Amino acid sequence: MNIKKIAKVSLFSALTLLVTGCSPSADSSHSFTFDIANSTVNHNLSSGSGMVVNNGKIMVVGDDSPWLFSVNNDFKINKKTLIEHFSVNEQNRINYKIKPDFESMTMVNYLNKPYYLVMGSGSKAVLREQAYLMPVNGGENQKLSLSNLYAQLHKVANFTQQEKINIEGIASTGNEIFIFNRGNEGKNAIFTMDKNELMSYLEGKTQALPSLKVYQVQLPKINGVQACFSGADYWKDADSMLFTASVEGNNNSSISDGAIQGSFVGVLPLKALANKSSIDLTGYNTKELKNNGKAIITKAESIAIETQTNKKASGYIVSDNDNGTSQFFTFTIDK
């Protein structure tokens, strides 16, 4: 698909909060406009799933690739850095049975140094429960186990034994980490925790996460199928999370995805989470990606902000359409 310009859509609705044991409360209405444009497919970067922008550099990971990619504004690869050695096939993709499933990434400053934090989804025990701290300025990568963390997330979210963790988005506010669970075999949920506490926990320096909180989330539906979180980034100037969510098949499996039905972009002001345990985002600042009223059939996997004010943000969206390529878009959102 070659889209040079996609029409502006209005994002306008009221927030409805579903709070366990409490009456719903409504925040004031907000009006947003959202522009998405410049669809570009990169055939040499497979399955783009996590993305950040750092000082103008677009950094991308794929769920079946052993590299961290730096791409330019035309979405062509400038450089790639090995995360860890994995055997790849003739398409430079890691075979499904052994792929680490890098679905999310963010930047963190830890011990006064900047790192890219790349995380596996957790959808398979051990294999996909690994994280990598990659020094932004070069140096040796540090591999960290996520097994204990994901067990904690599973427990605090009250998932059943049949429900699974499937982490697809992570974002850092600087002091706090937000982790987004894709609800295809569990529930859509947002986990929050202190950043330094999390890093100490992952390094085995501490054994508990006293700051850990969870928010159960309802998202919009397409053809009766609820969207599932797929990516996020922190809009600092507006103190909000931008997030992507997508719909494929019936969302009952992390193995057999099913046909892609479409995607959403949404805005979540962090103040909306105050004193809440669950939140309904089906009608609040979420909008299906469309072109002239017709759904764009793409599986948006991550969103990254390049420039921002408290009223406007622009950046990039990457999609993994399950065909070994990555589809990039530019976006602008105004409020």
Side-chain angles (χ1 to χ4, degrees):
M1 179 172 59
N2 183 19
I3 303 171
K4 290 302 181 183
K5 184 68 175 178
I6 297 178
K8 181 177 291 188
V9 293
S10 176
L11 300 176
F12 178 82
S13 58
L15 169 64
T16 302
L17 298 177
L18 300 182
V19 186
T20 303
C22 301
S23 300
S25 61
D27 199 357
S28 59
S29 296
H30 295 267
S31 179
F32 286 80
T33 56
F34 185 79
D35 263 330
I36 185 169
N38 300 323
S39 171
T40 302
V41 175
N42 187 316
H43 294 272
N44 298 311
L45 196 167
S46 67
S47 311
S49 298
M51 179 170 55
V52 299
V53 178
N54 176 26
N55 292 326
K57 296 180 180 178
I58 307 169
M59 310 300 296
V60 186
V61 291
D63 67 28
D64 59 3
S65 175
W67 295 287
L68 171 64
F69 297 91
S70 175
V71 302
N72 61 25
N73 290 336
D74 292 325
F75 309 114
K76 295 179 180 179
I77 298 170
N78 282 330
K79 180 182 178 181
K80 59 184 184 181
T81 303
L82 189 68
I83 301 172
E84 186 180 10
H85 176 75
F86 290 89
S87 298
V88 295
N89 57 27
E90 58 274 13
Q91 287 83 40
N92 284 319
R93 303 173 71 187
I94 305 169
N95 289 329
Y96 180 83
K97 290 184 178 180
I98 62 169
K99 76 173 185 175
D101 208 27
F102 298 136
E103 289 285 356
S104 57
M105 70 177 296
T106 190
M107 276 190 65
V108 294
N109 282 293
Y110 182 55
L111 301 177
N112 298 316
K113 292 183 180 180
Y115 294 90
Y116 298 115
L117 175 61
V118 178
M119 296 176 60
S121 67
S123 59
K124 282 189 176 182
V126 183
L127 175 65
R128 298 180 179 176
E129 295 177 336
Q130 307 297 327
Y132 294 83
L133 272 178
M134 303 183 66
V136 169
N137 299 318
E140 185 176 354
N141 297 341
Q142 183 179 355
K143 186 176 181 178
L144 303 167
S145 172
L146 296 172
S147 296
N148 290 338
L149 173 65
Y150 285 174
Q152 284 294 311
L153 300 188
H154 193 280
K155 181 179 180 180
V156 75
N158 292 318
F159 282 7
T160 67
Q161 289 186 344
Q162 289 72 37
E163 292 176 323
K164 295 182 179 180
I165 287 292
N166 189 8
I167 301 304
E168 295 254 348
I170 181 171
S172 173
T173 68
N175 296 320
E176 196 172 16
I177 295 290
F178 285 67
I179 295 176
F180 292 73
N181 188 73
R182 183 174 180 82
N184 55 336
E185 287 192 277
K187 301 180 182 73
N188 284 309
I190 302 173
F191 302 92
T192 68
M193 64 212 75
D194 179 84
K195 180 203 66 179
N196 289 329
E197 188 179 285
L198 171 64
M199 300 311 299
S200 294
Y201 181 86
L202 293 180
E203 290 193 309
K205 297 176 181 178
T206 58
Q207 304 300 314
L209 290 166
S211 63
L212 176 60
K213 298 177 184 177
V214 61
Y215 306 88
Q216 306 285 356
V217 181
Q218 291 293 317
L219 291 173
K221 297 180 179 180
I222 299 175
N223 297 323
V225 181
Q226 184 177 202
C228 294
F229 281 129
S230 60
D233 198 9
Y234 179 50
W235 184 355
K236 180 179 179 180
D237 289 359
D239 196 28
S240 300
M241 286 289 159
L242 291 187
F243 63 85
T244 54
S246 59
V247 177
E248 52 187 332
N250 56 17
N251 280 339
N252 290 332
S253 174
S254 61
I255 298 174
S256 179
D257 293 330
I260 298 166
Q261 300 196 52
S263 294
F264 294 84
V265 170
V267 183
L268 173 59
L270 297 191
K271 66 180 181 180
L273 296 175
N275 302 315
K276 307 299 186 298
S277 60
S278 61
I279 186 168
D280 187 342
L281 298 176
T282 58
Y284 178 64
N285 296 348
T286 57
K287 191 68 177 181
E288 187 177 359
L289 298 186
K290 292 185 176 183
N291 178 24
N292 295 324
K294 185 177 180 180
I296 303 169
I297 306 304
T298 190
K299 187 171 69 170
E301 285 279 332
S302 191
I303 189 166
I305 297 169
E306 181 175 40
T307 62
Q308 61 179 287
T309 67
N310 64 342
K311 296 292 185 180
K312 183 174 183 178
S314 61
Y316 309 98
I317 292 172
V318 64
S319 292
D320 168 17
N321 291 328
D322 297 330
N323 60 5
T325 67
S326 298
Q327 185 178 18
F328 292 88
F329 302 88
T330 60
F331 79 86
T332 300
I333 189 165
D334 294 88
K335 67 174 185 176

